[in-house]
Amino acid sequence: MKKLILICALLFAGSSFAQVLEQDSLALVAFYNSTGGSNWNNNTNWLTGPVSSWHGVIVENGRAIEITLYQNNLNGIIPYEIGNLIKLRKLKIGHDKGLTGEIPESIGNLTQLEVLVICNCDIQGSITNSICSCSILKSLHLWENHLTGAIPSEVGNLDSLEHLDLHDNQLTGSIPPELGSCTNLQELRLFNNQLTGTIPEEITLLPNISYLDLHSNLLSGELPTYLSNMFNPQSEEINIGDNMFSGPVPQQWGNISFLTDGLNLSYNRLTSLPTDCSWAITFFHIEGNKLTFEYIEPHYQAYQHGHYWFFYYEPQDHLLTKIDTAIIPASSYSIYSGTNGEFTNYKWYKNGELILESTEADTLYLKNISCTDTGVYTCKAENSLIYHLKLYRKPVHITLDTATHAMDIKKQDRIIVYPNPANEIITIENIEHAGAVGMKILDMQGKCVFNREYKNLTNSSIKPDITALANGIYLINIKTQNDNYTTKFIKNRQGINR
């Protein structure tokens, strides 16, 4: 076989075809055999003509400097001998699902490599650290394979890297902050993986980055304020959609004049947006979050005024939390819609039937509750400005609490507790204030979780702090010199029924 290669390499010596070093010839033959070369779609001149005439191979000064074979029916694995092509500048293979196995460690021997593309194949295993020895690499494309494990932190050694594309694999772990050392990086595509954590600040400080696509991962936490470092005229697209970011979009972002082709925040768990912005965006995505009309309205108006060319805001996730609660008969209860907005009309439903419609009914108040009030309550909010979008409050299921009668409840209608549900401070009114007043809070198992005595009460109200209580349903028992009152309230950390 060696003689065959040498004969092929020397066959046209002195003509326009250059001779090729035996080391390179043997490495190319190993590649041909390992990837089913006899069945390639195009194997013109391979093993029969001079190496410089082989389909997809470029030769310079007797050395192979480029291999480009796309959609060529490669089947098998990339052989270890590929690392012997030490003058190779470009290796571009892809769109062949029959190409399997792992990226060989020997790839790190290709220290002259500027472009490495192995895409849309069935390559498995982890990204070998040896790639990071290719110190002058400018483009690294390993997308649409089955790569697993973490992105090597050593990738930060590739300070010539301009394009890094690892999308559509099964990569895990965090995004390495060492990427911040790739000062020439312009495009970073890591979408459709299983990356966790947040976005390293070091990436946002890269001086040349203009394209950041991290969508469809498992990134979480609040959006980092420093992501606004990328809000500059060179920014082409920032896509962090379909992750698990939650909470507010940083209010500080609204203070920055921002011009970009695309900003995608869709399908996270975001709850607010800056409402006063100087942004100019071609494609702006906020759909699939937990945003209310209050935050969408000003951006829709910006869209109407031409600040956004395309604005995607629907659907939004159902708002607030689902509640399943038992209420003491004859007590009161309020349900907050959570939708807000200047142009909003509220429609309240009980068991699917409309019971109230009003532009003022952001909260539904139920008084003197009886068995006729039991059921499932929902709210659909519509908006006369953003008429395509409908917002829904998650359901509240109300039943009657009859068990509390076993706890010696007396005259529960005499005292008033508000707000109810509550978060930090509650007010209890209509208390007889002659002499000492004792107050206890009991959980629904009858355990006392708060106990305080008020001596010489001078008015008919007290305001205990319930911040330390866990979310749940509680009984308040007020004992005075002449009587004993008990009523019920709900502790909810997010405030009034939110």
Side-chain angles (χ1 to χ4, degrees):
M1 182 62 70
K2 291 184 179 180
K3 290 182 179 179
L4 175 61
I5 297 301
L6 290 173
I7 291 172
C8 292
L10 297 171
L11 185 61
F12 293 95
S15 69
S16 59
F17 299 102
Q19 296 182 12
V20 175
L21 193 69
E22 180 180 6
Q23 173 181 320
D24 288 15
S25 300
L26 293 174
L28 289 168
V29 171
F31 180 81
Y32 178 90
N33 291 330
S34 183
T35 59
S38 59
N39 295 313
W40 288 356
N41 293 335
N42 189 340
N43 57 10
T44 301
N45 289 334
W46 277 75
L47 308 188
T48 60
V51 175
S52 57
S53 70
W54 293 3
H55 169 70
V57 177
I58 294 178
V59 173
E60 181 180 284
N61 298 324
R63 305 302 299 264
I65 63 167
E66 182 174 337
I67 300 174
T68 302
L69 294 170
Y70 288 133
Q71 292 182 301
N72 206 39
N73 194 36
L74 274 63
N75 282 273
I77 65 172
I78 303 171
Y80 187 85
E81 290 84 350
I82 197 75
N84 294 333
L85 299 170
I86 59 175
K87 295 297 182 181
L88 204 63
R89 299 175 195 164
K90 296 180 181 179
L91 175 58
K92 299 188 290 185
I93 52 180
H95 305 286
D96 282 318
K97 292 298 185 181
L99 190 64
T100 62
E102 299 185 3
I103 301 172
E105 288 283 336
S106 61
I107 208 85
N109 298 336
L110 307 181
T111 56
Q112 300 301 306
L113 205 61
E114 296 179 3
V115 177
L116 176 59
V117 180
I118 308 174
C119 63
N120 193 22
C121 297
D122 195 22
I123 301 297
Q124 301 172 2
S126 59
I127 300 174
T128 173
N129 289 348
S130 67
I131 289 179
C132 304
S133 299
C134 304
S135 58
I136 63 172
L137 198 63
K138 293 182 179 179
S139 294
L140 177 58
H141 298 262
L142 304 177
W143 45 271
E144 288 191 29
N145 284 288
H146 293 94
L147 296 170
T148 56
I151 301 171
S153 59
E154 291 84 356
V155 73
N157 298 333
L158 302 176
D159 54 9
S160 296
L161 198 63
E162 297 174 358
H163 307 278
L164 178 59
D165 192 342
L166 307 177
H167 77 260
D168 282 276
N169 284 286
Q170 288 92 50
L171 298 172
T172 56
S174 58
I175 301 171
E178 288 82 0
L179 281 169
S181 298
C182 301
T183 53
N184 288 294
L185 195 63
Q186 300 171 16
E187 298 183 357
L188 178 60
R189 291 176 168 88
L190 303 178
F191 59 90
N192 280 337
N193 281 287
Q194 299 165 27
L195 300 171
T196 54
T198 189
I199 304 169
E201 183 175 8
E202 290 84 350
I203 290 176
T204 71
L205 295 172
L206 287 168
N208 297 301
I209 194 164
S210 61
Y211 194 102
L212 177 66
D213 194 343
L214 307 176
H215 82 262
S216 301
N217 277 287
L218 302 174
L219 303 174
S220 60
E222 293 192 358
L223 284 179
T225 302
Y226 54 72
L227 187 60
S228 62
N229 293 333
M230 294 189 62
F231 294 0
N232 54 63
Q234 73 181 24
S235 177
E236 295 178 9
E237 182 170 344
I238 302 171
N239 189 343
I240 54 175
D242 199 11
N243 277 285
M244 300 169 62
F245 289 112
S246 59
V249 174
Q251 188 64 37
Q252 296 93 319
W253 288 12
N255 301 327
I256 301 171
S257 296
F258 181 30
L259 173 65
T260 186
D261 286 341
L263 177 61
N264 192 330
L265 309 177
S266 65
Y267 292 97
N268 282 283
R269 301 169 184 176
L270 303 174
T271 55
S272 72
L273 290 169
T275 54
D276 186 12
C277 303
S278 298
W279 295 350
I281 305 174
T282 305
F283 296 92
F284 187 26
H285 290 262
I286 60 169
E287 71 272 24
N289 284 289
K290 296 178 177 291
L291 299 170
T292 67
F293 286 124
E294 174 185 4
Y295 298 107
I296 300 174
E297 283 175 355
H299 290 276
Y300 189 85
Q301 291 170 327
Y303 163 64
Q304 289 180 315
H305 290 107
H307 297 293
Y308 312 141
W309 194 253
F310 297 97
F311 182 41
Y312 303 90
Y313 53 84
E314 61 172 337
Q316 293 293 323
D317 195 5
H318 288 198
L319 301 170
L320 306 182
T321 58
K322 181 180 178 180
I323 294 177
D324 192 345
T325 185
I327 307 297
I328 297 174
S331 62
S332 299
Y333 192 75
S334 59
I335 306 173
Y336 176 57
S337 68
T339 55
N340 296 328
E342 182 180 353
F343 305 91
T344 304
N345 182 57
Y346 304 91
K347 293 182 177 180
W348 287 95
Y349 297 84
K350 175 189 171 187
N351 298 331
E353 294 186 6
L354 183 66
I355 58 173
L356 174 64
E357 179 178 357
S358 172
T359 58
E360 304 296 327
D362 67 332
T363 301
L364 178 67
Y365 296 96
L366 303 176
K367 298 180 179 180
N368 196 26
I369 290 176
S370 66
C371 60
T372 60
D373 295 305
T374 61
V376 178
Y377 291 83
T378 57
C379 180
K380 178 174 74 173
E382 300 171 328
N383 194 281
S384 59
L385 174 67
I386 316 172
Y387 54 90
H388 291 294
L389 179 61
K390 307 292 186 292
L391 296 182
Y392 298 87
R393 196 241 187 272
K394 288 186 177 180
V396 176
H397 183 201
I398 292 179
T399 57
L400 287 183
D401 176 18
T402 57
T404 54
H405 289 290
M407 296 186 180
D408 191 30
I409 294 180
K410 297 180 180 179
K411 303 178 183 177
Q412 60 87 29
D413 58 329
R414 284 282 303 275
I415 59 174
I416 299 172
V417 177
Y418 64 89
N420 190 6
N423 182 16
E424 298 175 351
I425 305 294
I426 56 174
T427 299
I428 306 171
E429 291 187 344
N430 289 357
I431 301 172
E432 176 189 347
H433 55 273
V437 173
M439 187 199 77
K440 292 183 179 180
I441 299 179
L442 299 89
D443 63 20
M444 296 310 293
Q445 285 72 46
K447 178 183 178 182
C448 181
V449 295
F450 187 103
N451 188 359
R452 183 171 178 181
E453 183 176 355
Y454 297 85
K455 295 181 179 180
N456 300 318
L457 194 66
T458 58
N459 54 48
S460 61
S461 68
I462 57 177
K463 296 184 178 182
D465 186 341
I466 60 164
T467 305
L469 297 184
N471 286 0
I473 303 172
Y474 295 89
L475 295 176
I476 295 179
N477 176 254
I478 302 292
K479 183 176 291 186
T480 68
Q481 182 177 355
N482 300 316
D483 223 328
N484 187 11
Y485 310 95
T486 304
T487 192
K488 184 178 180 182
F489 82 98
I490 297 173
K491 167 65 188 296
N492 188 315
R493 291 191 184 280
Q494 293 182 314
I496 299 177
N497 225 16
R498 305 188 183 193

